[in-house]
Amino acid sequence: QVQLVESGGGLVQAGGSLRLSCATSGRTFSGYAMGWFRRAPGKEREFVAAIGWDGGMTYYASSAKGRFTISRDNTKNTMYLQMNSLRPEDTAVYYCAADRTIYRSSLSSDDGQYGSWGQGTQVTVSS
């Protein structure tokens, strides 16, 4: 069973940046794809970005492309989300998630692919 802990959220002005981290433990990290999702107030959870098990593949929601960068450090069992040019509509609780299947060859925005989730970290962007 893998444990996921997000950190790095906070309050930032529009146009600012934040870097989220997702620290994992309890299971081999390097063999599993990872993803970031978010849930804004009154909305359903939505996909933000995903990264392959070796970091060789990345996949972004259109809202994140060009502004956010997902990465991972398998030596530290940690995934990151660098968020630049933040907008008020990015305000949400951000969750990291770990794939159910080891060495999966593709990435997906489908949250059903992910079997483990963190508790979330709040990101608030003021206008």
Side-chain angles (χ1 to χ4, degrees), residues 2-10 18-25 29 34-39 45-46 48-49 70-71 76-83 92-98 114-123:
V2 62
Q3 289 78 47
L4 309 174
V5 179
E6 303 95 337
S7 62
L18 282 174
R19 188 194 196 203
L20 305 184
S21 298
C22 174
T24 74
S25 61
F29 175 74
M34 300 287 294
W36 287 99
F37 290 75
R38 67 187 184 186
R39 187 193 302 272
R45 185 170 60 192
E46 66 174 4
V48 177
I70 189 171
S71 62
K76 297 182 179 179
N77 296 339
T78 303
M79 175 180 65
Y80 305 97
L81 185 67
Q82 177 67 43
M83 304 188 295
V93 177
Y94 284 71
Y95 300 91
C96 66
Y114 302 89
S116 300
W117 295 82
Q119 294 299 305
T121 186
Q122 176 70 47
V123 171

Side-chain angles (χ1 to χ4, degrees), residues 32-110:
Y32 294 85
M34 300 287 294
W36 287 99
F37 290 75
R38 67 187 184 186
R39 187 193 302 272
K43 296 187 177 181
E44 293 187 355
R45 185 170 60 192
E46 66 174 4
F47 170 76
V48 177
I51 188 165
W53 61 271
D54 63 352
M57 291 188 297
T58 57
Y59 177 38
Y60 294 92
S62 57
S63 60
K65 200 171 297 183
R67 299 188 300 127
F68 296 1
T69 302
I70 189 171
S71 62
R72 64 191 295 162
D73 185 340
N74 287 348
T75 66
K76 297 182 179 179
N77 296 339
T78 303
M79 175 180 65
Y80 305 97
L81 185 67
Q82 177 67 43
M83 304 188 295
N84 298 329
S85 303
L86 283 162
R87 306 164 179 165
E89 53 264 40
D90 294 317
T91 294
V93 177
Y94 284 71
Y95 300 91
C96 66
D99 199 337
R100 297 178 183 275
T101 302
I102 196 169
Y103 300 131
R104 191 189 296 269
S105 60
S106 62
L107 299 176
S108 173
S109 59
D110 179 4

